[in-house]
Amino acid sequence: MAPIPLQRDTVQRPGTTRAGGAHGPRLASRTSLPGIPLAPSAARRFVRAALAEWTGLGVPAAVGFSDRLADDAVTVTNELVTNAVVHAGTTVDLVLRLEDEGGDEPSAALVLEVTDHHPARPVSGDEPEPGPEPDAAVAGELPDPAEYGRGLQLVATLADSWGITYRTGLKTVWARLPVDDWSAPPTPPDGEALRRGLRAAEILAPAARRTERDDAVWDSRGAPAFLAEASDLLAGQLDEDLVAAIAGQLLVPRLADWCAIWLETEGGGPAAEPRLARVWHSDETGSEPLRTALERAPLPLPAGAGSGPVAVPWPAHPGAPAGQPGEAEGARPPHPGGRDGAALAFRITAGGRALGTVLVGREGVTQVPETVASLIEDFVRRLGLAVGAARAYTRQATISRILQRGLLPSKVADIPGVTSSLVYEPSDDGVVGGDFYDIFPCPGDRWCFVLGDVQGSGPEAAVVTGLARPWLRLLSREGFGVGEVLDRLNRLLLDDAMEAAEAAALMVAAAGGQQLHDGTQSRFLSLLYGEVVPLPGGGVRCTVASAGHPLPLLLRPDGSVRPAAEPQVLLGVVEDVAYESQVFDLVPGDTLLCVTDGVTERRSGPLMFDDGDGLARVLAGCAGLPAEATAEKIRRAVHEFAEQPPDDDVALLVLHAE
């Protein structure tokens, strides 16, 4: 996957007046990143590039940047952006500021601000003024880790101070890191430019520096805290590649210097090769060489290996013969400094099935401590559950999409004298939706149209849809009128529901009288059904009936809007119902709009889209527009009504008389 292109805006402006009347210069760089797994990597590159640019400007505080400050800034940024991506999933705004503190003793600080746009965030008190001042949290006062993740503990450790600021629809986490090398010795003027250039290059491409790891932190408190964080971050992820990406960031550098994750190809059979889904290295320059080394030779993991750790050979360097560890002459080592070390492999399993493999490596050691290996094993078990859940969701979503395509017509008929436009957007929940549509010709120069919404979703809704569509076509082509079609469809649904109830009663009797809960639901639906007959002088005659469905709206060329049918009871609920139809002419310039409740009941907080005749107001603004433009304008209005995407199927049909 290609890296995210970065757009960086850098501003240099005078600082505000400080104590004693001193003024300190202020630098600021900002960017926006999409809420995807690549965002943390892009944020790290952004911070290093900004620090290098400021160093090149010759600002005294920037020239004094230390390696430790650059590493801390990158680490804090990684944690904050990862938190924003995982917990909010929105666009992330990143601001990096260099502030000269002024005063008698010169000092400076780097201030990082990471803002997400989650619409459901609470607002704490009055809207705060911008600036790096604590608002909802201060160092040492961690918020609930279930919401923000335990990565903020690392931020609290590295930052001089940090906090959270809430605004309407926004949450900003900020951290302040003091510049610890302000008093760097001056450089002679003739070498100043060269020194700045070299320092900038070091920041952009830092030399490999070992991070001393303290394995003693994985005590009776540290290990459970890490596993709890891992469970929080992995749970609920519905894409196995995103699960692998999060797992890599959790393992490196906390427990290993690098890791690689293979995932088995689902349904590929025993001969299918696992794919290398993720490679993560504590030094970004080592990721690609490591991937190259791992792709050259299969992972040497015994076939009978379980979930426990298995010691494996250190990966061969690129250019070395396959299966022979060590560095070939002139080859670039996959790890900074060319250090060998200890590597362990763990099988990813869930429900007794092998789902993949995790390989971790520690450089410069002969073996991984037993406590760390045990902790990684526990982590891989949680990873297996997450991958298994993601795959189950993917299978369900795939089956639902195939079933949905089979339940909907491959194409709809064209009606003479009428242009039509159909919008159908199933909700993205991975299950079959309850909305369906159809337009089909009938004998006698008639065309029929249908827009329905089955109660519920999933297999139960699919059963009703699979029954209702062919029944409607059969009854319509047999010559029954609009009201009669609904009468007979209602009785068919009730008969089918009665058969299901009798079958359930027999199951109860067979079980010794114990009540069984099989999830059987009443099979009822709302339906808008209409018949169109072309008129000799242009336009068409419409006959429509609405059974518990949002009423169709008729738009005249002058912008007036009125309902085109009367409300009636749902189908499949009451047995003795005589459905009635309404007849009207659709003359050239008229538009008929039919929608499901995914449009009318679209929510934004306590409000619904059709409150106060909201749908009619939007339709009135479509006077004079063709069918396709009308459908698009209404679709856009539905989406823009709330920040979050629709949580129900959205279906609408527009008929415009030519």
Side-chain angles (χ1 to χ4, degrees):
M1 185 178 295
I4 300 174
L6 292 177
Q7 294 183 345
R8 185 172 69 256
D9 298 323
T10 301
V11 179
Q12 184 174 11
R13 58 185 183 275
T16 56
T17 302
R18 308 290 185 180
H23 294 267
R26 173 182 292 184
L27 288 169
S29 290
R30 64 190 71 242
T31 190
S32 292
L33 304 168
I36 61 176
L38 291 177
S41 174
R44 295 194 300 271
R45 289 187 287 113
F46 165 81
V47 169
R48 290 203 181 276
L51 297 182
E53 180 181 353
W54 295 351
T55 299
L57 293 175
V59 177
V63 174
F65 286 156
S66 65
D67 291 338
R68 176 180 176 180
L69 177 64
D71 288 346
D72 287 353
V74 169
T75 301
V76 169
T77 301
N78 182 77
E79 295 295 332
L80 296 184
V81 173
T82 299
N83 260 5
V85 170
V86 171
H87 294 292
T90 66
T91 300
V92 179
D93 298 328
L94 172 59
V95 178
L96 180 66
R97 294 203 308 271
L98 175 62
E99 296 190 346
D100 179 355
E101 301 293 314
D104 297 333
E105 294 293 332
S107 62
L110 279 178
V111 178
L112 290 152
E113 293 182 357
V114 175
T115 301
D116 66 58
H117 297 258
H118 197 291
R121 295 294 182 191
V123 179
S124 176
D126 296 331
E127 184 172 307
E129 293 295 327
E133 296 300 329
D135 170 76
V138 294
E141 297 180 6
L142 293 171
D144 181 5
E147 181 178 2
Y148 300 107
R150 293 172 176 81
L152 290 184
Q153 294 179 349
L154 177 60
V155 175
T157 300
L158 297 178
D160 178 61
S161 60
W162 69 279
I164 303 174
T165 299
Y166 292 104
R167 297 177 178 86
T168 303
L170 301 174
K171 178 175 92 348
T172 299
V173 184
W174 58 268
R176 180 184 180 278
L177 287 74
V179 176
D180 52 5
D181 196 16
W182 174 267
S183 303
T187 304
D190 56 352
E192 184 174 356
L194 175 61
R195 191 174 81 88
R196 291 177 191 166
L198 292 175
R199 185 69 193 102
E202 290 171 5
I203 292 173
L204 278 172
R209 289 182 289 277
R210 288 285 294 172
T211 300
E212 294 300 328
R213 212 180 266 107
D214 182 10
D215 290 328
V217 301
W218 308 119
D219 55 13
S220 59
R221 292 182 300 173
F226 169 77
L227 292 174
E229 177 186 9
S231 298
D232 288 343
L233 295 176
L234 295 174
Q237 303 299 332
L238 303 179
D239 181 89
E240 62 181 61
D241 288 317
L242 179 57
V243 170
I246 294 173
Q249 295 188 51
L250 286 168
L251 287 172
V252 178
R254 291 177 177 91
L255 297 171
D257 291 309
W258 54 265
C259 78
I261 299 175
W262 285 264
L263 294 176
E264 301 286 344
T265 303
E266 189 167 17
E273 288 289 336
R275 64 184 179 89
L276 186 55
R278 187 69 177 178
V279 174
W280 196 264
H281 203 293
S282 57
D283 187 328
E284 293 182 42
T285 62
S287 294
E288 286 307 313
L290 176 60
R291 177 180 288 275
T292 301
L294 295 174
E295 287 177 340
R296 289 181 62 250
L299 178 66
L301 185 63
S307 60
V310 177
V312 298
W314 192 256
H317 297 165
Q324 298 182 17
E327 183 178 359
E329 183 177 357
R332 179 186 178 191
H335 312 292
R339 272 187 293 268
D340 285 350
L344 293 177
F346 301 80
R347 185 81 74 189
I348 304 173
T349 61
R353 296 177 58 243
L355 301 180
T357 306
V358 174
L359 178 65
V360 299
R362 279 200 173 190
E363 301 172 11
V365 297
T366 57
Q367 66 179 17
V368 178
E370 184 177 350
T371 56
V372 174
S374 177
L375 179 57
I376 297 176
E377 182 180 353
D378 287 341
F379 170 81
V380 173
R381 290 195 187 98
R382 288 159 172 78
L383 174 60
L385 294 175
V387 172
R391 290 196 167 185
Y393 173 84
T394 301
R395 285 194 297 271
Q396 177 182 344
T398 302
I399 293 171
S400 292
R401 284 193 294 269
I402 295 173
L403 184 57
Q404 189 84 60
R405 287 197 297 267
L407 294 174
L408 297 174
S410 57
K411 63 176 296 184
V412 294
D414 294 327
I415 304 174
V418 173
T419 58
S420 63
S421 182
L422 179 70
V423 172
Y424 177 69
E425 297 178 344
S427 61
D428 189 20
D429 57 5
V431 298
V432 178
D435 289 7
F436 66 95
Y437 59 86
D438 204 356
I439 302 177
F440 54 92
C442 289
D445 200 24
R446 297 177 298 126
W447 280 261
C448 297
F449 61 91
V450 179
L451 201 58
D453 186 1
V454 179
Q455 182 266 343
S457 60
E460 188 71 23
V463 169
V464 180
T465 302
L467 295 172
R469 275 195 60 242
W471 281 344
L472 278 167
R473 285 199 171 207
L474 177 62
L475 292 170
S476 300
R477 288 169 176 168
E478 287 297 316
F480 292 106
V482 171
E484 293 176 305
V485 168
L486 295 190
D487 289 341
R488 284 162 173 75
L489 180 58
N490 182 56
R491 287 198 291 270
L492 287 168
L493 288 171
L494 287 169
D495 291 344
D496 188 72
M498 182 60 69
E499 292 177 3
E502 291 173 352
L506 292 175
M507 293 176 63
V508 170
Q514 296 181 358
Q515 186 174 0
L516 299 178
H517 300 280
D518 63 349
T520 302
Q521 301 174 351
S522 300
R523 297 180 175 182
F524 56 84
L525 74 151
S526 70
L527 188 74
L528 178 66
Y529 173 67
E531 180 182 284
V532 173
V533 178
L535 295 174
V540 294
R541 176 154 294 167
C542 292
T543 305
V544 298
S546 176
H549 201 82
L551 299 180
L553 298 179
L554 178 60
L555 170 66
R556 298 296 188 187
D558 61 1
S560 61
V561 177
R562 69 169 180 86
E566 297 293 333
Q568 299 178 85
V569 70
L570 287 164
L571 295 169
V573 178
V574 182
E575 185 172 0
D576 295 326
V577 179
Y579 288 94
E580 298 180 354
S581 59
Q582 286 75 44
V583 182
F584 59 93
D585 289 343
L586 203 65
V587 301
D590 287 349
T591 297
L592 184 68
L593 172 65
C594 312
V595 302
T596 60
D597 60 8
V599 173
T600 57
E601 297 179 6
R602 165 84 157 122
R603 286 193 171 274
S604 177
L607 303 177
M608 290 194 297
F609 183 73
D610 200 32
D611 285 349
D613 294 326
L615 178 60
R617 289 198 306 272
V618 176
L619 180 61
C622 299
L625 296 179
E628 187 173 349
T630 299
E632 174 58 23
K633 185 171 182 177
I634 295 171
R635 187 201 68 83
R636 192 184 315 118
V638 171
H639 279 269
E640 293 175 352
F641 184 69
E643 292 186 10
Q644 67 274 17
D647 57 2
D648 193 5
D649 298 349
V650 173
L652 62 93
L653 172 65
V654 177
L655 302 178
H656 181 75
E658 295 278 301

